[in-house]
Amino acid sequence: MESEQKYPRVEIDMKKLKHNIENMVAQCRESGIEVTGVIKGFNGLPQVAELHRVAGCGHLASSRLEQIRDCIEYGISGPYMMIRVPMVTEVPELVALADCSLQSEKKILDALNRECIKQDRRHDVILMADLGDLREGFWDKREMVRAAEYVEKELGRLHLLGVGTNLGCY
């Protein structure tokens, strides 16, 4: 009897995936690099996220808060990173679920700091620089420097973890 499955599916060889992640983490460690396991490509499957953690990834990351929530509910400890700039309406859930996020707007930084005060939490931010693909980030270098100073001097619940950029579409 033919399969009635109408959509494609992906089969994951967990043993091979674990081996690959462990090798990548080991190579990065030799150069002082900590690996963040991005789980969005696996639709945030908690079993795959758990494998990333067991294989040595320091953070788990997704662009979808529901995937982070699913992993936490499954019992996988953080830290978690949201790898896209959040909408202002997502800030309360972001603070509750993720330890770090990408940021490129002052109004979101302000909302994030206020929410951290409400939830008595601290949150790490990575300020994003746009390289010309217009995906996300500060376009003006001076504006980005002002935002970094603002986070460090004015927003007591936020910690500037660093700067980043999206090279995927460059």
Side-chain angles (χ1 to χ4, degrees):
M1 181 167 131
E2 283 188 43
S3 171
E4 294 186 30
Q5 184 177 353
K6 54 194 263 192
Y7 298 104
R9 72 179 201 191
V10 174
E11 291 186 20
I12 302 168
D13 185 323
M14 298 292 269
K15 186 177 178 182
K16 289 179 182 176
L17 180 60
K18 182 176 185 258
H19 173 79
N20 289 345
I21 296 169
E22 287 173 338
N23 281 329
M24 182 177 51
V25 167
Q27 288 178 35
C28 288
R29 264 196 197 124
E30 289 176 10
S31 297
I33 298 169
E34 182 179 315
V35 175
T36 296
V38 178
I39 60 172
K40 75 177 191 170
F42 297 97
N43 202 26
L45 290 171
Q47 297 86 346
V48 176
E50 186 174 45
L51 187 67
H52 279 79
R53 175 67 73 227
V54 168
C57 291
H59 280 77
L60 295 176
S62 180
S63 61
R64 299 187 182 353
L65 286 171
E66 63 270 12
Q67 292 178 353
I68 295 172
R69 184 182 339 97
D70 289 347
C71 289
I72 291 169
E73 289 173 357
Y74 188 80
I76 303 166
S77 62
Y80 286 94
M81 178 186 298
M82 183 158 147
I83 54 172
R84 71 168 167 78
V85 177
M87 296 180 291
V88 72
T89 57
E90 295 176 306
V91 167
E93 187 175 20
L94 171 63
V95 170
L97 297 175
D99 306 280
C100 180
S101 61
L102 309 180
Q103 298 296 325
S104 63
E105 294 182 51
K106 184 179 181 294
K107 73 176 186 178
I108 301 293
L109 290 168
D110 288 334
L112 192 55
N113 192 65
R114 285 190 303 273
E115 190 61 36
C116 283
I117 292 168
K118 283 183 192 173
Q119 294 187 32
D120 193 24
R121 297 208 38 171
R122 192 188 127 216
H123 190 85
D124 293 334
V125 296
I126 297 173
L127 297 180
M128 298 298 289
D130 192 300
L131 293 182
D133 63 358
L134 304 177
R135 285 183 53 101
E136 64 190 348
F138 290 93
W139 184 258
D140 181 88
K141 184 169 73 171
R142 288 179 302 252
E143 182 184 4
M144 186 174 186
V145 169
R146 284 192 301 272
E149 291 173 340
Y150 183 64
V151 169
E152 289 189 325
K153 295 177 182 175
E154 304 293 326
L155 302 179
R157 293 300 179 112
L158 302 185
H159 172 254
L160 180 61
L161 193 59
V163 297
T165 190
N166 184 338
L167 297 174
C169 295
Y170 187 64

